[in-house]
Amino acid sequence: MPETLNVAVAGYAFMGRIHTAGWAQAAKFFGTPARVTHVIGRNRKNTQAFADAFGIPNVLADWRDAVADPDIHVVDVCTPGDSHVDIAIGALEAGKHVLCEKPLANSVAGAERMVAAAEAASARGVRSMAGFSYRRTPALAYAKRLVDEGRIGEIRHIRAVYLQDWIADPEFPLVWRLDKDAAGSGALGDIGAHIIDLATFLTGQRLTGLTGITETFVKTRPKLAEQTGGLTARGSEERGEVTVDDAAVWVGRTDGGALATFEATRFAAGRKNAMRIELNGSKGSLAFDFERMNELEFLDFTEPAVESGFRRILVTEPEHPYVGAWWPAGHGLGYEHTFTHEVKDFTDAIVEGRAPEPSFADGLAVQKILAAIEDSRGDWVTL
Amino acid sequence: MPETLNVAVAGYAFMGRIHTAGWAQAAKFFGTPARVTHVIGRNRKNTQAFADAFGIPNVLADWRDAVADPDIHVVDVCTPGDSHVDIAIGALEAGKHVLCEKPLANSVAGAERMVAAAEAASARGVRSMAGFSYRRTPALAYAKRLVDEGRIGEIRHIRAVYLQDWIADPEFPLVWRLDKDAAGSGALGDIGAHIIDLATFLTGQRLTGLTGITETFVKTRPKLAEQTGGLTARGSEERGEVTVDDAAVWVGRTDGGALATFEATRFAAGRKNAMRIELNGSKGSLAFDFERMNELEFLDFTEPAVESGFRRILVTEPEHPYVGAWWPAGHGLGYEHTFTHEVKDFTDAIVEGRAPEPSFADGLAVQKILAAIEDSRGDWVTL
Amino acid sequence: MPETLNVAVAGYAFMGRIHTAGWAQAAKFFGTPARVTHVIGRNRKNTQAFADAFGIPNVLADWRDAVADPDIHVVDVCTPGDSHVDIAIGALEAGKHVLCEKPLANSVAGAERMVAAAEAASARGVRSMAGFSYRRTPALAYAKRLVDEGRIGEIRHIRAVYLQDWIADPEFPLVWRLDKDAAGSGALGDIGAHIIDLATFLTGQRLTGLTGITETFVKTRPKLAEQTGGLTARGSEERGEVTVDDAAVWVGRTDGGALATFEATRFAAGRKNAMRIELNGSKGSLAFDFERMNELEFLDFTEPAVESGFRRILVTEPEHPYVGAWWPAGHGLGYEHTFTHEVKDFTDAIVEGRAPEPSFADGLAVQKILAAIEDSRGDWVTL
Amino acid sequence: MPETLNVAVAGYAFMGRIHTAGWAQAAKFFGTPARVTHVIGRNRKNTQAFADAFGIPNVLADWRDAVADPDIHVVDVCTPGDSHVDIAIGALEAGKHVLCEKPLANSVAGAERMVAAAEAASARGVRSMAGFSYRRTPALAYAKRLVDEGRIGEIRHIRAVYLQDWIADPEFPLVWRLDKDAAGSGALGDIGAHIIDLATFLTGQRLTGLTGITETFVKTRPKLAEQTGGLTARGSEERGEVTVDDAAVWVGRTDGGALATFEATRFAAGRKNAMRIELNGSKGSLAFDFERMNELEFLDFTEPAVESGFRRILVTEPEHPYVGAWWPAGHGLGYEHTFTHEVKDFTDAIVEGRAPEPSFADGLAVQKILAAIEDSRGDWVTL
């Protein structure tokens, strides 16, 4: 084990940027022994500019070069989903630890190949992790602790939504996230994947069956003059077909006997990043909304009803997960901290020789549920 | 038309009590020309005690006596669901206007007979209305006005839950509401019916298909020493079978192209009466929670995003529906006011010779959806 | 003691109306043995119309006639403050129990005379109560119970505001509440009186000194064509002087060692009836906002910080004060219920031969604080 | 002007740490041309450990060495208040730009000397700024924009509190912040200073007079075994005197005709960092709570009351101040971002040759108000 892990980040857009910042913050605030030494991007000029701004010494145009470089210990895959399979498997086979953004792949078959590679690599001590960063939100990590301690008892209901509105305007252009080839699916894979993973993470239960439907409200959109990948650019007059879902809703049962409801949409006007999950159990309830990510609501059903109520816990105490490394109570964290915590946990597992969580197998399980939802078309699918 | 309508209320428990109070308040605050002159109940002593407390001059043991009494103009049916068909049809045939609590009947067949009777009566100027009182919540009546004015545009999402927790404790006894013969169904018919009606009321759209599942988490419960109908009594050691659902979840599509999700449960620890509905449209969103019944959240998506946000409208202005009759701005109303508004509207329709809404046919439509949910078992049902 | 107390209500505007409705509801829901038999009003036609709508058998033009009538047992004073002294003292001397709306009088001297009359009457078993109805809000009555049980420990901070906005528009007309002769003072006496009373009620502590300032932001307003007393009428072009305060702010110390801050204003745009009070103690905190009157926030500081948070108690459980007489959990009450509870408590005290609270002396204590605030002009006043 | 400014940070505790992180993030996300090259701390070992973790190449034991070093362009003063005067003046006289944490000094006299030095330096193009970082919260910067645009009209009320609870436990030890010699004052200077600055920042108005009181609820506390400066350490059995205030409350008038109320306390059980400010104007209102720092509530009083309400603006849109450099809408920022924005703005001003805000003179104005509050003891003080 080297004293410091050298990390190559593939991609420098939204995810690449936030991962790179996360690695630097983890080193400062958690003493995580890792640093980003390489960034990989096809556009030389943009990649170099990014490297300069973020203080990354090396720039690579092709991920294969990173895989071949013996001085790189970790590959952090932040590219669009269609490239995940090749990069992740390539890196694992070359003995690099791999952190891969979600969704794992654009198809179940691809994800299965990645799991196989991860398991083979694991036998050689090479670690892999799927990038469901929301697990590292302090409030959600603390929620899981409360569930594990039995504070909400036997779980009856899981109620999860992920509501955004960034394409509710029919004139928003045809960005890559609306193209099935590049993105795999729409709201389902992009944000639905998160609430599927979270439900499993928090409850330890898996869906045994589900039924659901998807919808594309706006069938065509203005094409981009060039494929910029930007989310805010305005399009041309020519329109192209939207080939992914705008929204998906599904309900199911878990192996723990709970009923679960889910909704993922990019058409909830006014909801910007409302990833909400509520759990109702025999002894209590928990509720969370990412738009208020520093808060967790907890209802202790064992208290007398007369003095019981959902309590707004500010998850900013030093005893809360991850928080001790940061600021005094009441001084909240932001979205990017979840990535700092993610790379810290990933590195800890590498250093300590443990399998990090969530595994690629966990990512595959999510992928299979995404596929089942697409297949369901309103009929029951047993998982 | 008599100067004042004489009303016979059938039942004096929760619903009978709140209806009776509503008739008196409507007379005072809206000048509604009606008064409760009779209460009908099988237990003579309890019925008389209720009549004394609420100032009702006459007590009847059998609804047939009310139907036969020419001085009674209105029958207000507040008994459990298994008696609705007989009382409502009997009253309509005798020329009494009928307000009937929801759900209309314990079966679709029963509800269909009631609709037939209502339509026949209507031809003779005899009015009928289904008691979905939540429509008369000022905030919801105002929400409908905003929808009708096009303020939220084309509706994309309907998201409705009705969450309670009063039987989450497995030792809560086997009250009549948990018995299929008396109650028809469980959470589904009791509270699910409300959110089905509300979704239709607010959007003017109907479900064209759905898929859903129901669950009974606690299969047996302590029997009551005697069937008291009370909600809080504790049971004996002998346990009986729960024959209704504890919870139901379903998703569907509407004839307006929206996706809709629903959940009704009595197992959401800490949620006391959380009837929540959110609508997301192309021009805005609306959100409501009955636990904060004097508030409506409205998001105007036509505003610049930079200054846009869900605004908490206190629905207590004189210009809001029903509110002008009550108190100054900011001085909220309570649950019972919805019934005062309901009987006011019903009486207005009678006096003005209009068909009141929601009609028995509207109630039947809800009933059919309830039946479809029970039939679905996770597969698609076209309505 | 008569079987049923006959009540004469003086005034039929906002307060008279809500009191009258309260008496009727108290009889129905609490079995309170009292009924409104007389209403007193100078405008014969309007008074009769009110009596007809609310089912009051007798109408009187002069309160002296009520005082002289041996069949009247209670006088409920709901007129503007300038008439309180005469009516209340006249009624008490005639042996009538008196409920008097706040503020007790328009001057300390007047209030002192009322207290003297009340004490003399009390010796003869004649009861009197000041109408600080907010004490009867279930959430506030429950807050007091928690304070009395020591749940928040030694009180450090009292933080109370009463925010309204109904005259924030400079063109709102010169209604009687803006005239010192009729109203005594402005926001201070109208709404500031409530938070002074509540702070004392909840904590059992009294201010020992204070410093504060008042302001009249809008010095002249359109005169009303005729003095209608209405709050919404628009005025003429002629303007008259506003002779009361628009807002007042003050801070002080209590005999229990707490710091207290207060604000009363009619110029808080968007705040309709935000009577808010928060108490911070050594063992916990309580927070309340009348715009969400069915909720109480409680923080238990003895819990570990990691799982501690302000819990939103829905004060709608049968065990909460007054609530058992009403509806199931989660079905909230409204503003007018505080008056139903007030007349119930008042009648209970009469029947049981106890002195009701708050007494006229309590009302006088509030009056003295109001006077001290007006006198302070930013300098310390020892009480 | 060098291409990149070299920054020496004095202090490596809470403030030094967050400033250092801020400089690095500003470079990455805003391209701010500055980097921390030196950290100054008396404890060599701890300072070196900090430098290692945060990647700072040089460590200095004495600020005089930094002042003497021609390669250092900026001194960022993050030490306790008793050292501010010497360091800041020394640095300014040596031609270093100075960012100085608040409060500027522990006395008005000290602050006055700093202002004189800053003005002299300014004539030579040397910049200085007081570190009221909360001004750089996007929601508050946006609030100021709305005020400046006239969206809330003429301001009637300023209502600001800063509530914490970290010393509410009487056994919390006697840390340096409770010692007048080291800290200058207690809650007043530590957190009260922030709300004074914010009120001025947001409204552009200054207090013309005030009256207020302070309190020390817990007079003695356990001494620390050694003066660690830590906030969480538990003390010994020996108790020492608390020489600063625990809480302060004051009210005043502004030169714009508004009434203002303020409260700063460390005894508000359950409030962790509740810096709240509300402004009520003739055309609207604004409300903010730092515990929900990504939200701003705005009430547009020019809208019809029927559809008006406080809207919760998620201040996470690219058009909001500072936000464009970060993440997509709905992905909130944290406390530390305010420091990143602060050093960015400071550097921008240096580069562009402008005087940054808030100036030392602004800091002195706050200091004078703090002194006036301490002097008031409940009597009016004209400013």
Side-chain angles (χ1 to χ4, degrees):
Chain A
M1 181 75 61
E3 198 175 313
T4 298
L5 297 171
N6 293 330
V7 179
V9 175
Y12 57 85
F14 178 16
M15 278 300 123
R17 201 152 158 260
I18 203 162
H19 276 242
T20 300
W23 286 104
Q25 295 288 78
K28 290 177 187 172
F29 287 90
F30 294 93
T32 295
R35 57 176 178 170
V36 176
T37 52
H38 296 72
V39 58
I40 311 164
R42 276 178 293 198
N43 181 314
R44 165 72 55 174
K45 189 177 145 207
N46 291 351
T47 312
Q48 187 63 55
F50 174 76
D52 292 344
F54 279 69
I56 306 172
N58 307 293
V59 164
L60 297 175
D62 191 326
W63 60 266
R64 289 168 194 84
D65 296 333
V67 164
D69 185 339
D71 286 344
I72 291 174
H73 309 108
V74 172
V75 176
D76 182 358
V77 186
C78 299
T79 50
D82 53 354
S83 61
H84 287 189
V85 177
D86 289 346
I87 304 178
I89 293 177
L92 286 168
E93 290 181 346
K96 316 298 188 202
H97 309 291
V98 174
L99 171 59
C100 183
E101 258 307 312
K102 48 57 56 185
L104 214 51
N106 281 0
S107 68
V108 168
E112 283 172 338
R113 288 179 48 215
M114 290 172 71
V115 170
E119 289 176 355
S122 177
R124 291 175 280 126
V126 176
R127 306 299 169 191
S128 51
M129 187 164 96
F132 290 103
S133 60
Y134 285 126
R135 290 188 177 204
R136 271 74 192 191
T137 309
L140 288 168
Y142 181 59
K144 178 177 170 52
R145 188 193 295 174
L146 289 172
V147 173
D148 288 350
E149 291 172 359
R151 296 295 294 275
I152 67 167
E154 197 172 336
I155 293 169
R156 309 297 196 189
H157 288 288
I158 299 167
R159 192 174 303 112
V161 298
Y162 201 142
L163 311 178
Q164 297 185 336
D165 72 358
W166 57 278
I167 60 170
D169 176 354
E171 297 310 306
F172 187 91
L174 197 61
V175 297
W176 72 265
R177 285 181 184 273
L178 306 184
D179 172 20
K180 190 170 181 61
D181 289 339
S185 73
L188 193 55
D190 182 22
I191 53 179
H194 279 300
I195 48 177
I196 294 168
D197 180 67
L198 266 185
T200 300
F201 168 65
L202 291 176
T203 67
Q205 299 183 13
R206 291 189 180 270
L207 288 172
T208 57
L210 63 79
T211 175
I213 48 182
T214 66
E215 182 63 73
T216 304
F217 297 113
V218 173
K219 315 291 189 195
T220 67
R221 290 181 177 273
K223 281 190 180 173
L224 285 172
E226 54 173 341
Q227 194 69 21
T228 66
L231 296 184
T232 57
R234 284 280 142 180
S236 65
E237 284 179 35
E238 193 187 350
R239 298 179 79 93
E241 193 187 352
V242 177
T243 50
V244 299
D245 60 278
D246 287 337
V249 297
W250 65 102
V251 300
R253 296 183 193 277
T254 72
D255 52 13
L259 290 188
T261 73
F262 296 90
E263 177 171 7
T265 181
R266 292 162 169 171
F267 273 73
R271 303 300 180 192
K272 300 303 174 185
N273 204 39
M275 189 185 72
R276 299 177 180 182
I277 188 159
E278 176 164 331
L279 306 177
N280 304 126
S282 57
K283 292 190 182 166
S285 291
L286 288 165
F288 174 82
D289 180 351
F290 196 81
E291 287 185 358
R292 289 176 170 166
M293 67 171 280
N294 291 292
E295 301 178 23
L296 178 69
E297 287 190 284
F298 171 49
L299 181 287
D300 186 343
F301 201 55
T302 66
E303 292 177 333
V306 75
E307 64 178 67
S308 174
F310 276 84
R311 64 178 82 164
R312 181 177 81 108
I313 302 173
L314 268 184
V315 188
T316 59
E317 295 293 316
E319 297 83 3
H320 286 131
Y322 308 108
V323 177
W326 298 101
W327 317 114
H331 297 71
L333 304 185
Y335 169 64
E336 72 214 55
H337 290 77
T338 62
F339 294 90
T340 301
H341 304 159
E342 181 176 75
V343 300
K344 170 221 182 295
D345 284 347
F346 181 50
T347 307
D348 284 353
I350 294 171
V351 169
E352 298 164 15
R354 290 184 287 102
E357 289 192 338
S359 67
F360 277 17
D362 292 325
L364 171 60
V366 171
Q367 213 76 11
K368 286 181 175 172
I369 291 171
L370 296 174
I373 296 161
E374 286 194 320
D375 290 348
S376 161
R377 297 170 186 273
D379 286 333
W380 190 253
V381 180
T382 301
L383 293 164
Chain B
M1 182 72 62
E3 199 175 310
T4 300
L5 296 170
N6 294 329
V7 179
V9 175
Y12 57 86
F14 178 18
M15 277 300 124
R17 202 153 157 257
I18 204 163
H19 276 242
T20 301
W23 286 104
Q25 294 288 80
K28 290 177 185 172
F29 287 89
F30 293 93
T32 295
R35 58 175 177 170
V36 176
T37 53
H38 296 72
V39 57
I40 309 165
R42 276 179 293 198
N43 181 314
R44 165 71 55 173
K45 192 177 141 206
N46 291 352
T47 313
Q48 186 64 52
F50 173 75
D52 291 345
F54 278 69
I56 306 172
N58 307 294
V59 165
L60 296 174
D62 191 326
W63 61 265
R64 290 168 193 86
D65 296 332
V67 166
D69 184 339
D71 286 344
I72 293 174
H73 309 107
V74 172
V75 175
D76 182 358
V77 185
C78 298
T79 50
D82 54 353
S83 60
H84 287 189
V85 178
D86 289 346
I87 303 178
I89 295 178
L92 286 168
E93 291 181 346
K96 317 298 187 199
H97 309 291
V98 173
L99 171 59
C100 183
E101 258 306 312
K102 48 59 56 185
L104 214 53
N106 281 0
S107 70
V108 168
E112 283 173 338
R113 288 177 49 213
M114 289 171 71
V115 170
E119 288 176 356
S122 177
R124 290 174 281 124
V126 176
R127 306 298 169 191
S128 50
M129 188 164 98
F132 290 103
S133 59
Y134 285 126
R135 290 188 177 204
R136 270 74 191 192
T137 308
L140 289 168
Y142 181 59
K144 178 176 171 52
R145 190 194 292 174
L146 289 171
V147 173
D148 288 350
E149 290 172 1
R151 295 296 294 275
I152 66 167
E154 196 173 337
I155 292 169
R156 307 299 196 189
H157 289 289
I158 299 167
R159 193 174 304 111
V161 298
Y162 201 142
L163 311 178
Q164 297 184 336
D165 71 358
W166 58 279
I167 59 171
D169 176 354
E171 297 310 305
F172 188 90
L174 196 62
V175 297
W176 73 264
R177 284 180 185 274
L178 306 183
D179 172 20
K180 191 170 181 61
D181 288 340
S185 73
L188 193 55
D190 182 22
I191 55 181
H194 279 300
I195 49 179
I196 294 169
D197 180 67
L198 267 185
T200 301
F201 168 67
L202 291 176
T203 67
Q205 299 184 12
R206 291 189 180 269
L207 288 171
T208 57
L210 63 82
T211 177
I213 48 181
T214 66
E215 181 62 74
T216 305
F217 297 114
V218 173
K219 316 291 188 195
T220 67
R221 289 181 178 272
K223 281 189 179 173
L224 285 172
E226 54 172 341
Q227 193 70 18
T228 66
L231 296 184
T232 57
R234 283 280 142 180
S236 64
E237 285 180 34
E238 193 187 349
R239 297 180 80 93
E241 195 187 351
V242 175
T243 49
V244 299
D245 61 278
D246 286 337
V249 297
W250 65 103
V251 301
R253 295 183 193 278
T254 73
D255 52 11
L259 290 189
T261 72
F262 297 89
E263 177 172 7
T265 180
R266 293 163 168 170
F267 273 72
R271 302 300 181 193
K272 300 303 175 185
N273 204 40
M275 189 184 73
R276 298 176 178 182
I277 188 159
E278 176 164 331
L279 306 176
N280 304 126
S282 58
K283 293 191 181 166
S285 291
L286 289 165
F288 174 82
D289 180 350
F290 196 81
E291 289 185 355
R292 289 176 170 166
M293 66 171 279
N294 291 293
E295 302 178 22
L296 179 69
E297 287 190 282
F298 171 49
L299 181 286
D300 186 343
F301 201 55
T302 66
E303 292 177 333
V306 75
E307 64 178 67
S308 173
F310 277 83
R311 63 179 83 164
R312 181 177 81 108
I313 302 173
L314 268 184
V315 188
T316 58
E317 294 293 316
E319 297 83 3
H320 286 130
Y322 307 109
V323 176
W326 299 101
W327 317 115
H331 297 69
L333 304 185
Y335 168 64
E336 73 213 57
H337 291 77
T338 63
F339 294 89
T340 301
H341 303 159
E342 179 177 75
V343 300
K344 170 220 182 298
D345 284 348
F346 181 50
T347 306
D348 284 354
I350 293 170
V351 169
E352 298 164 14
R354 289 185 287 102
E357 288 192 339
S359 68
F360 277 17
D362 293 324
L364 172 61
V366 171
Q367 211 77 11
K368 286 180 174 172
I369 291 171
L370 295 175
I373 296 161
E374 286 195 320
D375 289 348
S376 163
R377 297 170 184 274
D379 286 335
W380 191 253
V381 179
T382 301
L383 292 163
Chain C
M1 181 76 59
E3 200 174 311
T4 299
L5 297 170
N6 294 329
V7 179
V9 175
Y12 56 86
F14 179 16
M15 279 300 124
R17 203 154 157 255
I18 204 163
H19 276 242
T20 300
W23 286 103
Q25 294 289 78
K28 289 177 186 172
F29 288 90
F30 293 93
T32 295
R35 58 178 177 167
V36 175
T37 53
H38 297 71
V39 57
I40 308 165
R42 275 178 294 198
N43 181 314
R44 165 71 56 171
K45 191 178 143 206
N46 291 353
T47 311
Q48 186 63 53
F50 174 75
D52 292 346
F54 279 68
I56 305 172
N58 308 292
V59 164
L60 298 174
D62 192 326
W63 60 266
R64 290 170 194 83
D65 295 333
V67 164
D69 185 340
D71 286 343
I72 292 174
H73 309 107
V74 172
V75 175
D76 182 359
V77 185
C78 298
T79 50
D82 53 352
S83 60
H84 287 190
V85 176
D86 289 346
I87 304 179
I89 295 177
L92 286 168
E93 291 180 344
K96 316 299 187 199
H97 309 290
V98 174
L99 171 59
C100 183
E101 259 306 311
K102 47 58 57 185
L104 213 53
N106 282 359
S107 69
V108 169
E112 283 173 338
R113 287 178 49 215
M114 289 172 72
V115 169
E119 289 175 357
S122 177
R124 290 173 282 124
V126 177
R127 307 297 169 191
S128 50
M129 188 164 98
F132 290 103
S133 60
Y134 285 125
R135 291 189 177 202
R136 270 73 192 192
T137 308
L140 289 169
Y142 181 60
K144 178 176 171 52
R145 190 194 292 175
L146 290 172
V147 173
D148 288 350
E149 290 171 1
R151 296 297 292 276
I152 66 167
E154 196 172 338
I155 293 169
R156 308 297 197 190
H157 288 289
I158 299 167
R159 192 175 303 111
V161 298
Y162 201 142
L163 311 178
Q164 297 185 335
D165 72 357
W166 58 279
I167 60 170
D169 177 354
E171 297 310 304
F172 188 90
L174 197 61
V175 297
W176 72 265
R177 284 179 185 276
L178 306 183
D179 172 19
K180 191 170 180 61
D181 288 341
S185 73
L188 192 55
D190 183 21
I191 55 180
H194 279 299
I195 48 179
I196 294 169
D197 181 66
L198 266 184
T200 301
F201 168 66
L202 290 176
T203 66
Q205 299 182 13
R206 290 188 181 269
L207 287 172
T208 56
L210 62 81
T211 175
I213 48 181
T214 67
E215 182 62 75
T216 304
F217 297 113
V218 173
K219 317 290 190 195
T220 66
R221 291 181 177 272
K223 282 189 180 175
L224 285 172
E226 55 172 340
Q227 192 71 19
T228 66
L231 297 183
T232 58
R234 284 279 141 181
S236 65
E237 285 180 34
E238 192 188 349
R239 297 180 80 93
E241 194 187 352
V242 176
T243 49
V244 299
D245 60 278
D246 286 337
V249 297
W250 65 101
V251 300
R253 297 183 192 277
T254 72
D255 52 12
L259 290 189
T261 72
F262 296 89
E263 177 172 7
T265 179
R266 293 163 168 170
F267 273 72
R271 304 300 180 192
K272 299 303 175 184
N273 204 40
M275 188 185 73
R276 299 176 178 183
I277 188 159
E278 177 164 330
L279 306 177
N280 304 127
S282 57
K283 293 189 181 166
S285 291
L286 289 165
F288 174 82
D289 180 350
F290 196 80
E291 288 185 357
R292 288 176 170 166
M293 65 171 279
N294 292 292
E295 302 178 22
L296 179 68
E297 286 192 282
F298 171 50
L299 181 288
D300 186 343
F301 201 55
T302 66
E303 292 178 333
V306 75
E307 64 178 67
S308 173
F310 277 83
R311 62 179 82 163
R312 182 178 80 109
I313 301 173
L314 268 184
V315 187
T316 59
E317 295 292 316
E319 297 83 3
H320 285 129
Y322 307 109
V323 177
W326 299 100
W327 317 115
H331 297 70
L333 304 185
Y335 168 65
E336 72 212 57
H337 290 77
T338 62
F339 293 89
T340 301
H341 303 160
E342 179 176 77
V343 300
K344 171 221 180 297
D345 285 347
F346 181 50
T347 307
D348 284 354
I350 294 170
V351 169
E352 297 164 15
R354 290 184 287 102
E357 289 192 338
S359 66
F360 277 18
D362 292 324
L364 171 61
V366 171
Q367 212 76 10
K368 286 180 174 172
I369 292 171
L370 295 174
I373 297 161
E374 288 195 318
D375 289 347
S376 162
R377 297 168 184 273
D379 286 333
W380 189 254
V381 179
T382 300
L383 293 164
Chain D
M1 182 76 60
E3 200 175 311
T4 299
L5 297 170
N6 295 329
V7 179
V9 174
Y12 56 86
F14 178 16
M15 278 300 123
R17 202 153 158 257
I18 204 162
H19 276 242
T20 301
W23 285 104
Q25 295 287 81
K28 291 178 186 173
F29 288 90
F30 293 93
T32 295
R35 58 176 177 169
V36 176
T37 53
H38 296 71
V39 59
I40 309 164
R42 276 178 293 197
N43 181 313
R44 166 70 56 174
K45 190 178 142 207
N46 290 352
T47 312
Q48 188 62 55
F50 174 75
D52 292 345
F54 279 69
I56 306 172
N58 306 294
V59 165
L60 298 174
D62 191 326
W63 61 265
R64 290 170 194 83
D65 295 333
V67 164
D69 185 340
D71 286 344
I72 291 174
H73 310 106
V74 172
V75 176
D76 182 359
V77 185
C78 299
T79 50
D82 53 354
S83 60
H84 287 190
V85 176
D86 289 345
I87 303 178
I89 294 177
L92 286 168
E93 291 181 346
K96 316 299 187 200
H97 309 290
V98 174
L99 171 59
C100 183
E101 258 307 311
K102 48 59 55 185
L104 214 51
N106 282 358
S107 68
V108 168
E112 283 173 338
R113 288 179 47 214
M114 290 172 71
V115 170
E119 288 175 356
S122 177
R124 291 173 281 124
V126 178
R127 306 298 169 191
S128 51
M129 186 164 97
F132 290 102
S133 60
Y134 285 125
R135 290 188 177 204
R136 271 72 192 192
T137 308
L140 288 169
Y142 181 59
K144 178 176 171 53
R145 190 194 293 173
L146 289 172
V147 173
D148 287 350
E149 290 171 1
R151 296 296 293 276
I152 66 167
E154 195 173 338
I155 293 169
R156 308 298 196 189
H157 288 288
I158 300 168
R159 192 176 301 112
V161 298
Y162 201 143
L163 310 179
Q164 298 185 334
D165 71 358
W166 58 279
I167 58 169
D169 176 353
E171 297 310 305
F172 188 91
L174 197 62
V175 297
W176 73 263
R177 284 180 185 274
L178 306 184
D179 172 20
K180 191 170 181 60
D181 288 340
S185 73
L188 193 54
D190 182 21
I191 53 180
H194 279 299
I195 48 179
I196 293 169
D197 180 66
L198 267 185
T200 300
F201 169 66
L202 291 176
T203 66
Q205 299 182 13
R206 292 191 179 266
L207 287 172
T208 56
L210 63 81
T211 176
I213 47 181
T214 67
E215 181 62 74
T216 304
F217 296 114
V218 174
K219 315 290 188 195
T220 68
R221 289 182 177 273
K223 281 189 178 174
L224 284 172
E226 54 172 342
Q227 192 71 18
T228 66
L231 296 184
T232 59
R234 283 279 142 181
S236 64
E237 284 180 35
E238 193 188 349
R239 299 180 79 93
E241 194 187 353
V242 176
T243 48
V244 299
D245 61 278
D246 287 336
V249 297
W250 65 103
V251 301
R253 296 182 192 277
T254 73
D255 53 11
L259 289 189
T261 72
F262 297 89
E263 178 173 6
T265 180
R266 294 163 168 170
F267 273 73
R271 303 300 179 192
K272 300 303 174 185
N273 204 40
M275 189 185 72
R276 299 176 178 182
I277 188 159
E278 177 164 331
L279 306 177
N280 304 125
S282 58
K283 292 189 181 167
S285 291
L286 289 164
F288 174 82
D289 180 351
F290 196 81
E291 288 185 357
R292 289 177 170 165
M293 67 171 278
N294 292 291
E295 303 178 23
L296 179 68
E297 287 191 283
F298 172 48
L299 181 286
D300 186 343
F301 202 55
T302 67
E303 292 177 332
V306 74
E307 63 178 67
S308 174
F310 276 83
R311 62 179 82 164
R312 181 177 81 107
I313 301 173
L314 268 184
V315 187
T316 58
E317 296 293 315
E319 296 84 2
H320 286 130
Y322 307 108
V323 177
W326 298 102
W327 317 115
H331 297 70
L333 304 185
Y335 168 65
E336 73 214 55
H337 290 77
T338 61
F339 293 89
T340 302
H341 303 159
E342 181 176 76
V343 299
K344 170 221 183 297
D345 284 348
F346 181 50
T347 307
D348 284 354
I350 294 170
V351 170
E352 297 165 15
R354 289 184 287 103
E357 291 192 338
S359 67
F360 277 17
D362 292 324
L364 172 60
V366 171
Q367 212 76 12
K368 286 180 175 172
I369 292 171
L370 295 175
I373 297 161
E374 287 195 319
D375 290 346
S376 164
R377 298 169 185 273
D379 285 334
W380 190 254
V381 180
T382 300
L383 292 164

